[in-house]
Amino acid sequence: MYYNEYIDFRKNSRGAFPERKNMIYSLVEDFSLRFPLSDPFRLLAKVRSSEFAETDQRAKAVILTQKKQKKPLKFCKMNTLSSPNRKENPSFTVLFPDHLKKIPEEDLVRNQIREKIAEIDRSSKDIFPLSKSFLEKTGSGLLAQIGLDDQYLGWTMVLLAGHFWEKEIEKIPYTKRLLLLPHCLRDSEQCAGTYTEEGLNCAGCGNCPLADLISHAREKGYKILIAEGTPIVMKIILSGEADAILGVGCLKSLERSFDKLIHAGIPAMAVPLLSGNCKDTKTEEEAVHKMIDIPWIPSAEQEVSPSLLPLLRAASGIFAPAVLQEFLPEFMIGANSDPLPFDFTDHHACDSLLNGGKYYRPFLVLAAYDSLCPVDFTKGNSDQIPFPRSVQQTALAMEFFHKASLVHDDIEDDDFYRYGKKTLHHRVGLAQALNIGDYLLGQGYHLIAGCTEIPDDVRKDILNQLSLSHLLLCRGQGSELAFSRLIREEKAFPSPAEILRIYALKTAPAFEAAILSGLRFAMKKEEYEKIRSAVSAWSRFLGIGYQIKNDLNDWFLSDPDNKKTQGSDLFRLAPTVLLAFALESLSAEEKKDLFQLVRSAEPDLRPQILDRVYRQFDDLRIFEKCGLLIQKYKEKALDICSKLDHASLRERLQRLTEMIL
């Protein structure tokens, strides 16, 4: 019944008033996420209420006013329509919007800001964990005090973060510090260095500042890397080779890793480049040398500020060969052998498990458990993971499930690359890849069943949540495939609300299963049931925001180690929220031109076509709309956190929200 009413409602919403239709879908999307996934169309009762009628009339008035003033509309929060202005949204998708990224050109101005920063008290423990909003507010106030506007805010925030982290960096030995330098500091015409997989290998020719900076850092005992990109840096941090990052970079590159480092609690400090032209750049060399010289002040009494780094390392450590050997000895026998017939499945399953990925889901299991049953990371040796065996097994199982879903997803979407290399079905064939995906699922459930030291009701609740998440993921994936076919055949086009609904089904359940499993280990049944619905809602908002971010990554290739083909979602006409926004805004003729352009794209012409479609999407404010949606779901998730009774869990979920979104 609900489905038929919804279809009627969809038909009635179409017509000569497209602005009203967009507003309606904004309302539908908001209402739909207030109800359980099992009953998605209860929103109709709300849609037909007086509340909706009042909102509809108010929205019409706004639309008509803006049409008279010839102002463009934007998709935004429920009950709100306004003219888009990027400057009004300083937090949309990026940390430092373009108008806040100016570098002070004069030494006098830079020193003036530095002197003011040095006056700020950093002794309070309440400063940590650092947050973007705190740095933004502090930086803006500081600039106002010395009569400067916010054009230097991005630069100031980088220096502020370093100011607050400096005392933490002093606690870390030089040998556990990583100096990260950009290769654009080299002299591009005279550089004698060579490139390796990890980055630039400086020849020490002296034609640029790199040789002098490297020599200084080596004398101290620093680890040094001349490269860009978060993956290699995180690999070094998670391995335990370094506990702090000191670097040089342009604001554009710094912002890509800034949020992650802040919210993970990884001590970090940087000196921004004086330009962002990516070639033959300059920096404040004296400031970099001063940063390298930050002293190591060892003291047993010094307490390191709270950090998620031990949890990130523990999640990564579960996948060390020795740990896997303990949990899955038979699996590892086949994994360590040549891919001969009897070991073929284990070998490629292990390769899929261990190569690539951020281990977010295992990390969430550990983070949830640790929020209520704090783990002491100071006990035992560095190779030991201080979590109960069953918690580790469950965290490991989460990654088995995740990698199985990726194998199957790559097959269903016929993706060619995953984590920088050919997808499994393109390497071993479709039939073998299907079998390996199923095998990964089986190993995941085998690990959960092996948690024999926990009560049966705990194991039952965890298995129930995992199987439910598995079912929801399959429903979401099936809906995506169905819409994908309808789009390719140009028979029907999903609305943004329907795409977000798919995201709630296919992405959010994995986060939900991970968090709830970790909490179930730490809580009694009665307590667990009380917070379950709130955590489910938090997971839903987090999952939707995360998937929108993933869609944007496909356009901007901000995770180049994951995909090599930029714009792959567009060229296979995948049902993404970006495409849904476009199809709602384009005329019938424009839709036809878009489909013809994408379908006729030869590989060599794809960059030019992608650029053309990008400009069309940008004119429609689609990327801005997605940025606003991410911010919206982040706010929704944080609102859920603020209402939790458990203070430690509330704080942990808030930090996870900031870190992931």
Side-chain angles (χ1 to χ4, degrees), residues 220-240:
K220 297 285 186 182
Y222 279 77
K223 290 177 174 59
I224 302 161
L225 188 65
I226 308 173
E228 291 185 10
T230 307
I232 181 64
V233 176
M234 289 306 294
K235 183 178 180 181
I236 291 172
I237 289 290
L238 293 179
S239 69

Side-chain angles (χ1 to χ4, degrees), residues 23 27 31 49-62 78-81:
M23 182 275 302
L27 288 169
F31 282 130
S49 69
S50 58
E51 176 188 352
F52 172 78
E54 179 186 346
T55 303
D56 194 14
Q57 292 300 319
R58 189 162 62 253
K60 279 186 179 181
V62 174
M78 179 177 164
N79 301 347
T80 309
L81 288 165

Side-chain angles (χ1 to χ4, degrees), residues 101-165:
K101 291 182 183 177
K102 191 170 181 181
I103 307 293
E105 295 180 2
E106 300 177 9
D107 290 343
L108 180 64
V109 177
R110 292 197 297 270
N111 291 334
Q112 192 178 13
I113 296 173
R114 280 195 171 96
E115 288 170 5
K116 202 68 180 176
I117 289 174
E119 296 175 5
I120 297 176
D121 179 28
R122 55 188 176 189
S123 61
S124 174
K125 292 184 178 180
D126 294 336
I127 293 171
F128 294 98
L130 284 175
S131 69
K132 183 187 74 174
S133 58
F134 169 75
L135 293 172
E136 190 173 348
K137 182 178 179 180
T138 306
S140 185
L142 182 148
L143 291 171
Q145 287 179 32
I146 53 181
L148 298 172
D149 60 31
D150 281 354
Q151 63 181 330
Y152 303 134
L153 182 57
W155 188 86
T156 304
M157 286 172 67
V158 172
L159 267 64
L160 270 172
H163 173 73
F164 290 120
W165 275 123

